[in-house]
Amino acid sequence: MKRRNFIRLSTFTAGAWLLTDVMPVSSLSAVTAPEGVTFSPNPLLKIFDNGKVVISVIK
């Protein structure tokens, strides 16, 4: 991979990750999450009391 392509790709990836942190996932995901969220380490991953794990994929 050429240096220029690497810089473009890394810049795009960093920008996309920043947008996922800023935008609420509920507006991006079609799945509605159940109540009782206990642990949400980032906007795309939620772990519930009953052991259910929701991973939102934006594509």
Side-chain angles (χ1 to χ4, degrees):
M1 178 182 280
K2 293 183 181 180
R3 180 179 175 199
R4 184 174 297 205
N5 290 336
F6 175 76
I7 292 173
R8 283 183 188 165
L9 180 64
S10 61
T11 302
F12 177 74
T13 304
W17 187 256
L18 179 65
L19 285 177
T20 60
D21 282 344
V22 173
M23 295 176 69
V25 175
S26 61
S27 67
L28 300 174
S29 116
V31 177
T32 58
E35 296 299 320
V37 175
T38 59
F39 183 62
S40 183
N42 67 34
L44 301 176
L45 178 67
K46 294 181 181 169
I47 303 171
F48 297 93
D49 289 337
N50 60 2
K52 187 173 184 178
V53 177
V54 176
I55 301 172
S56 300
V57 178
I58 304 167
K59 190 166 184 179

